[in-house]
Amino acid sequence: MRFSASKFTLITATATVLIGAAVPAFAQAYASAPVTVTQAPASDAKAVKKQARAQARAERRAEHKAARAKNTAELKKLESAGYKPGVNDPNYPQQLQDAQKKANAAAGASQ
């Protein structure tokens, strides 16, 4: 039976990946190690993780809401300066740049 080099390479790579994935599964934790004061019970650790995830999710939502509000405000400012996003305009970049210049000039004058 003849194997080509590509088949041998594929088999070797597959075996390497499988062995590499199996090794951490056989790692053992030290069950007889004494519990230190810094370790929390499993239920408390789960509650802390759950609370941290909820807080991170709330922060991401707040950041998303702030970013959306900023984008909406910028779009409204450009629309008030003459930009029309719904129009199929062949001069699209120029129209947007003109609106940005007007909005920036108005913002500079108000300061």
Side-chain angles (χ1 to χ4, degrees):
M1 185 185 248
R2 291 179 81 168
F3 283 110
S4 67
S6 62
K7 286 183 182 178
F8 179 72
T9 305
L10 178 64
I11 292 171
T12 306
T14 304
T16 303
V17 168
L18 291 175
I19 290 171
V23 170
F26 295 112
Q28 295 180 358
Y30 293 101
S32 62
V35 176
T36 61
V37 177
T38 59
Q39 290 180 344
S43 61
D44 289 344
K46 287 181 182 180
V48 169
K49 283 184 180 181
K50 186 176 181 180
Q51 183 179 9
R53 279 194 304 263
Q55 183 178 3
R57 188 178 306 118
E59 289 173 3
R60 283 192 306 269
R61 285 182 180 166
E63 289 171 1
H64 178 72
K65 192 174 183 179
R68 175 170 256 177
K70 179 184 173 193
N71 289 341
T72 303
E74 183 179 351
L75 183 60
K76 287 188 183 286
K77 184 172 89 172
L78 290 174
E79 286 175 346
S80 68
Y83 176 60
K84 298 175 188 136
V87 176
N88 188 7
D89 188 9
N91 299 322
Y92 157 71
Q94 188 61 42
Q95 181 190 15
L96 178 60
Q97 290 171 356
D98 292 342
Q100 286 174 335
K101 285 179 187 176
K102 283 182 186 178
N104 289 337
S110 66
Q111 289 181 357

